[in-house]
Amino acid sequence: MSGKVVVNRCMSLDGFIAGPGHSMDWGNGRALADFVAPDDVAQVAAATGAVLVGRRTWEVGARMKAEEPDSGDYPFSGPVFLLTRRPLVPPDPNVTILAGDIGEAVATALDAAGGKNLEVLGADVAGQCVQRGLVDEILVYVLPVLLGDGVRFSAPGLARTDLEPISSTRSGDSTILRFRVREQSRRPG
Amino acid sequence: MSGKVVVNRCMSLDGFIAGPGHSMDWGNGRALADFVAPDDVAQVAAATGAVLVGRRTWEVGARMKAEEPDSGDYPFSGPVFLLTRRPLVPPDPNVTILAGDIGEAVATALDAAGGKNLEVLGADVAGQCVQRGLVDEILVYVLPVLLGDGVRFSAPGLARTDLEPISSTRSGDSTILRFRVREQSRRPG
């Protein structure tokens, strides 16, 4: 039995998934973990069997960890796949590099999730996955801030995509919105 | 007793308050009323004592009404103020034109609301009001669609604004999010 492919992202109320310069500071130094109830993050992590992440999101995460080693870790310890054409220097033994077609990458990572969900992180990768009909659900943490500018939720050129709301839950100071992607037509890798 | 100044807008999940060309077609010809439960719209309208609207939003509304006269009217019949420097041709007897400073416009319209809320419609006007510290609450109807492109929720140059979540409610296929604007400092008109 296969898990779902879930695009997972946080967003300001005005539709930015990061600030200018890909900053993940959501106001006064607060990170996502400062807005969301820990139990909800743990629940999402528990349903996740593997993570597929884009290069820029990976680097933002690595930078945050370097700057603030004590910031709340995402409570997930399964396989992580990084979609990139450039090798990691130095290599990270906990990460599998995938460089090929995104459909193949999703198929590989979903297989590794062992029946749990595959979580897709990163604006570019997520946008490509939505466009290719590879995504089952979108989970958005709406944060209580207007950023005014930054990295848009939708990469330029994303075609209109109809969604179906699944749920809306307040979690700490954020709101977790879940949607099913309509007319899902997952293509084989 | 004064009502609240409420910015009221609908938005795609990816942060657009209208499609390209200010289209208010949210997919397959559906308008806002096709997504939101009528009772919820009626409840918002009942709490509203006056409306302040920007010129472009006014024209989009007029165009929609001309194209689809039977489309669901907003169940509100109180005073409407249009912020514009160009006269309406022909004039509309149901609308008061305001051309001065936005702080004065909000004060005038709020006064006319007679203790109920003033609803602010239109990206430019709403952005200016937020920036000037004139807004008490933001009410967003999140629609279940990714548009990919269009008119952004935030006008370029909007400074970061911290919000405080009030509520999150599923309404039909949309989700109604309410926020309080933090550190509210309404200036006298």
Side-chain angles (χ1 to χ4, degrees):
Chain A
M1 195 184 112
S2 179
K4 289 174 288 192
V5 177
V6 181
V7 163
N8 182 321
R9 46 178 54 176
C10 57
M11 183 181 90
S12 66
L13 178 62
D14 52 349
F16 297 105
I17 58 167
H22 291 268
S23 162
M24 296 303 275
D25 175 357
W26 296 98
N28 306 317
R30 286 179 299 176
L32 176 62
D34 298 316
F35 292 99
V36 183
D39 283 1
D40 291 320
V41 176
Q43 200 179 335
V44 171
T48 300
V51 168
L52 175 66
V53 59
R55 182 64 182 247
R56 197 187 301 264
T57 300
W58 170 268
E59 287 182 352
V60 168
R63 195 178 66 199
M64 286 173 66
K65 214 164 187 168
E67 286 171 1
E68 289 190 62
D70 297 335
S71 70
D73 261 332
Y74 189 51
F76 170 78
S77 55
V80 175
F81 296 87
L82 172 61
L83 192 68
T84 183
R85 291 198 163 74
R86 290 173 293 132
L88 277 184
V89 182
D92 184 328
N94 301 313
V95 174
T96 304
I97 302 262
L98 298 174
D101 171 78
I102 193 155
E104 288 171 27
V106 167
T108 301
L110 187 58
D111 191 55
K116 289 188 169 186
N117 294 342
L118 169 63
E119 193 169 285
V120 178
L121 300 174
D124 288 351
V125 171
Q128 288 180 54
C129 286
V130 168
Q131 210 67 104
R132 285 278 299 271
L134 299 165
V135 174
D136 297 298
E137 291 181 10
I138 297 179
L139 184 163
V140 179
Y141 301 92
V142 180
L143 304 188
V145 62
L146 299 173
L147 278 190
D149 200 3
V151 180
R152 281 167 34 169
F153 186 106
S154 286
L158 185 79
R160 181 157 71 195
T161 306
D162 286 328
L163 308 171
E164 189 183 340
I166 298 173
S167 66
S168 144
T169 318
R170 172 82 170 270
S171 175
D173 274 348
S174 77
T175 308
I176 304 178
L177 304 180
R178 280 178 186 275
F179 296 86
R180 201 169 289 116
V181 181
R182 279 184 194 271
E183 294 165 27
Q184 170 68 13
S185 58
R186 188 182 302 159
R187 302 173 193 182
Chain B
M1 195 183 111
S2 176
K4 289 173 289 190
V5 178
V6 181
V7 163
N8 182 322
R9 46 178 54 175
C10 57
M11 183 182 89
S12 67
L13 178 61
D14 51 351
F16 297 106
I17 59 169
H22 292 267
S23 162
M24 295 302 276
D25 175 359
W26 295 99
N28 308 315
R30 286 178 301 175
L32 176 62
D34 299 317
F35 290 100
V36 182
D39 283 1
D40 291 320
V41 176
Q43 199 179 334
V44 171
T48 300
V51 168
L52 175 65
V53 60
R55 181 66 182 246
R56 197 187 299 266
T57 301
W58 170 268
E59 287 181 351
V60 168
R63 195 178 69 201
M64 284 173 66
K65 212 164 189 169
E67 288 171 0
E68 289 190 63
D70 297 335
S71 70
D73 260 334
Y74 188 53
F76 170 78
S77 56
V80 174
F81 296 87
L82 172 61
L83 193 67
T84 182
R85 292 199 163 73
R86 289 174 292 132
L88 278 184
V89 182
D92 185 328
N94 300 312
V95 173
T96 304
I97 303 263
L98 297 175
D101 171 78
I102 194 156
E104 287 171 27
V106 166
T108 301
L110 186 58
D111 191 53
K116 289 187 167 187
N117 294 342
L118 169 63
E119 194 170 284
V120 178
L121 302 173
D124 287 351
V125 172
Q128 288 179 55
C129 287
V130 169
Q131 210 66 105
R132 285 277 299 270
L134 299 165
V135 175
D136 296 298
E137 291 181 12
I138 297 177
L139 185 163
V140 179
Y141 302 92
V142 180
L143 305 187
V145 61
L146 298 174
L147 278 189
D149 200 3
V151 180
R152 281 168 34 170
F153 185 106
S154 285
L158 185 79
R160 181 159 72 196
T161 305
D162 286 328
L163 307 172
E164 190 182 339
I166 298 173
S167 65
S168 144
T169 319
R170 172 81 171 268
S171 174
D173 272 349
S174 77
T175 308
I176 303 178
L177 304 181
R178 279 179 186 274
F179 296 86
R180 201 169 290 118
V181 181
R182 279 185 194 270
E183 295 167 26
Q184 170 69 11
S185 58
R186 188 181 302 160
R187 303 176 193 181

